[in-house]
């Protein structure tokens, strides 16, 4: 018997990390109910089209037997007449989020396995029902602020993705500091807009976080600025006051140009001063790019700020 490498088997030794925009160990009853209906749809195979002598309940029993073997726990009676209803109750009332994630992987795997056996021409990429339901699942996770996605055949934690782990998480740790409270508020709001797919609001939020960071640095260093200054003006102020090291003027000048034409320019193009009713609507990947670019700028400017502080003491 092949051992299934379920989600819970892969992350037993791992713990949730502090200061994130997502939660990982708490699923609302609403989300679990939505997940059940997605799983139910995944196991509703058109038996008239595919030559299988199985009904929906038998596929649920297959799922039950697979996860029970891995968990070492017979948690339901597979001979029960209302077996699917009892399975729904188990999912919705279960506080073990890892079991819910295991069931997602297992049900998708069973669907792919069954259809691959009965249809030689079956391909994952052509299964429109499966692709649509996975897309719905990932959106449900985002809307609920739960940090999981189904990608490349398995459940992954968002904080295990390289960019989130190496860029976004360090930025979140930095702005958790009381001195950057406003930055934290604006950047967290940008992530909230992203999860709800309010793309323009997300980009505006990123620019506000960026400007708040520049103002916070000026406040901490006691550099004067006009509260109405935009990011481009604030960048000139921190540069003029020596935030960046001497002797790297050419390199820093190039970076300053990148700062000025990065988040602020994207904000102006899509959502701010330079936008119009004729401006194209930004796509979700643009919001992801701006979120990551903002996090990169936060980490870089904070490190420059810390370096400047150490030289003043």
């Amino acid at each position: 018997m092949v051992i299934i490498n379920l989600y819970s088997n892969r992350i037993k030794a791992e713990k949730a990390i502090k200061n994130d925009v997502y939660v990982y160990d708490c699923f609302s009853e609403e989300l679990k109910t939505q997940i059940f209906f997605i799983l139910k749809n995944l196991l509703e195979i058109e038996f008239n089209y595919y030559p299988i002598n199985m009904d929906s309940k038998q596929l649920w029993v297959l799922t039950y037997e697979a996860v029970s073997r891995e968990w070492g726990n017979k948690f339901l009676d597979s001979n029960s007449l209302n077996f699917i209803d009892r399975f729904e109750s188990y999912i919705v009332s279960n506080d073990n989020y890892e079991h819910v994630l295991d069931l997602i992987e297992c049900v998708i795997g069973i669907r792919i396995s069954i259809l691959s056996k009965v249809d030689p021409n079956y391909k994952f990429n052509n299964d429109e029902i499966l692709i649509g339901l996975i897309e719905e699942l990932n959106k449900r996770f985002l809307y609920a602020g739960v940090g999981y996605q189904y990608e490349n055949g398995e459940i992954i934690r968002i904080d295990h993705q390289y960019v989130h782990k190496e860029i976004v998480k360090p930025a979140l740790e930095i702005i958790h500091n009381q001195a950057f409270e406003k930055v934290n508020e604006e950047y967290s709001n940008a992530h909230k807009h992203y999860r709800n797919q309010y793309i323009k609001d997300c980009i505006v939020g990123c620019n506000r976080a960026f400007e708040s960071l520049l103002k916070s640095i000026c406040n901490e260093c006691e550099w004067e600025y006009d509260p109405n200054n935009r990011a481009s003006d604030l960048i000139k102020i921190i540069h003029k006051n020596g935030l960046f090291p001497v002797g790297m003027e050419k390199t820093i000048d190039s970076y300053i140009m990148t700062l000025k034409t990065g988040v602020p320019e994207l904000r102006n193009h899509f959502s701010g001063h330079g936008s119009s009713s004729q401006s194209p609507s930004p796509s979700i990947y643009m919001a992801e790019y701006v979120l990551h670019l903002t996090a990169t700028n936060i980490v870089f400017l904070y490190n420059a700020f810390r370096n400047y502080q150490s030289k003043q003491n």
Side-chain angles (χ1 to χ4, degrees):
M1 176 70 185
V2 177
I3 296 177
I4 305 173
N5 187 25
L6 293 175
Y7 176 83
S8 59
N9 293 338
R10 299 196 303 270
I11 58 99
K12 283 180 180 177
E14 298 180 7
K15 296 180 180 179
I17 306 171
K18 297 178 181 178
N19 299 332
D20 204 337
V21 288
Y22 298 100
V23 297
Y24 297 91
D25 56 1
C26 182
F27 291 10
S28 68
E29 185 174 318
E30 178 185 1
L31 176 61
K32 287 183 288 187
T33 300
Q34 292 166 340
I35 289 172
F36 168 76
F37 281 109
I38 290 172
L39 299 183
K40 186 171 181 286
N41 291 154
L42 284 168
L43 293 180
E44 289 174 344
I45 298 173
E46 295 181 13
F47 297 102
N48 294 331
Y49 179 76
Y50 294 106
I52 334 174
N53 295 319
M54 301 182 75
D55 58 22
S56 183
K57 179 185 174 182
Q58 287 174 298
L59 294 180
W60 277 104
V61 170
L62 269 181
T63 303
Y64 167 71
E65 291 176 347
V67 294
S68 291
R69 180 186 293 269
E70 293 304 317
W71 298 342
N73 175 27
K74 295 179 69 176
F75 58 95
L76 291 176
D77 178 7
S78 59
N79 294 316
S80 173
L81 292 176
N82 57 345
F83 179 71
I84 297 177
D85 291 337
R86 294 187 65 188
F87 217 134
E88 177 184 4
S89 296
Y90 175 79
I91 292 172
V92 174
S93 63
N94 190 0
D95 291 330
N96 189 330
Y97 68 95
E98 292 180 357
H99 280 190
V100 177
L101 296 171
D102 284 348
L103 284 166
I104 293 170
E105 287 191 346
C106 192
V107 166
I108 292 175
I110 284 175
R111 178 185 176 88
I112 293 172
S113 176
I114 293 291
L115 294 184
S116 296
K117 287 177 181 177
V118 300
D119 183 357
N121 297 317
Y122 175 82
K123 292 182 180 179
F124 171 90
N125 293 337
N126 294 333
D127 190 339
E128 294 181 1
I129 293 176
L130 176 58
I131 292 172
L133 289 170
I134 288 174
E135 183 178 342
E136 180 188 345
L137 173 69
N138 288 339
K139 285 182 178 179
R140 296 290 186 192
F141 278 136
L142 284 177
Y143 292 158
V146 174
Y148 295 96
Q149 294 283 277
Y150 185 90
E151 296 180 3
N152 300 320
E154 64 180 15
I155 292 286
I156 62 166
R157 283 175 60 123
I158 288 178
D159 64 349
H160 287 184
Q161 295 174 325
Y162 182 84
V163 171
H164 191 90
K165 182 179 180 181
E166 301 297 331
I167 299 175
V168 177
K169 287 285 289 182
L172 291 169
E173 292 287 341
I174 288 167
I175 60 180
H176 195 68
N177 186 307
Q178 188 174 359
F180 302 106
E181 184 177 356
K182 187 64 176 176
V183 188
N184 188 30
E185 178 187 337
E186 300 288 6
Y187 192 56
S188 296
N189 284 338
H191 274 276
K192 189 182 297 182
H193 293 316
Y194 165 73
R195 292 196 300 271
N196 290 298
Q197 299 201 2
Y198 302 147
I199 310 304
K200 289 187 176 182
D201 291 334
C202 172
I203 294 172
V204 170
C206 285
N207 186 71
R208 287 175 177 166
F210 182 52
E211 288 186 350
S212 293
L213 174 68
L214 294 168
K215 290 177 180 178
S216 296
I217 291 174
C218 288
N219 290 336
E220 289 298 304
C221 295
E222 298 182 350
W223 295 333
E224 292 185 3
Y225 66 92
D226 186 328
N228 295 319
N229 279 154
R230 297 178 184 174
S232 56
D233 302 315
L234 295 165
I235 291 167
K236 292 177 184 176
I237 292 170
I238 62 172
H239 183 37
K240 179 182 177 181
N241 282 280
L243 183 70
F244 304 115
V246 178
M248 297 180 61
E249 284 76 11
K250 194 169 184 180
T251 302
I252 294 302
D253 285 345
S254 298
Y255 179 70
I256 288 173
M257 185 58 64
T258 302
L259 287 177
K260 289 180 179 178
T261 57
V263 177
E265 188 66 26
L266 288 166
R267 181 260 185 179
N268 291 340
H269 180 70
F270 288 117
S271 314
H273 307 296
S275 65
S276 69
S277 59
Q278 304 301 317
S279 298
S281 297
S283 301
I284 188 69
Y285 68 82
M286 185 60 71
E288 293 170 356
Y289 168 69
V290 178
L291 282 169
H292 296 155
L293 181 59
T294 303
T296 301
N297 289 338
I298 288 171
V299 174
F300 176 83
L301 289 170
Y302 177 75
N303 287 336
F305 165 64
R306 287 288 301 275
N307 182 66
Y308 174 85
Q309 275 191 322
S310 66
K311 291 182 177 179
Q312 301 307 306
N313 297 333

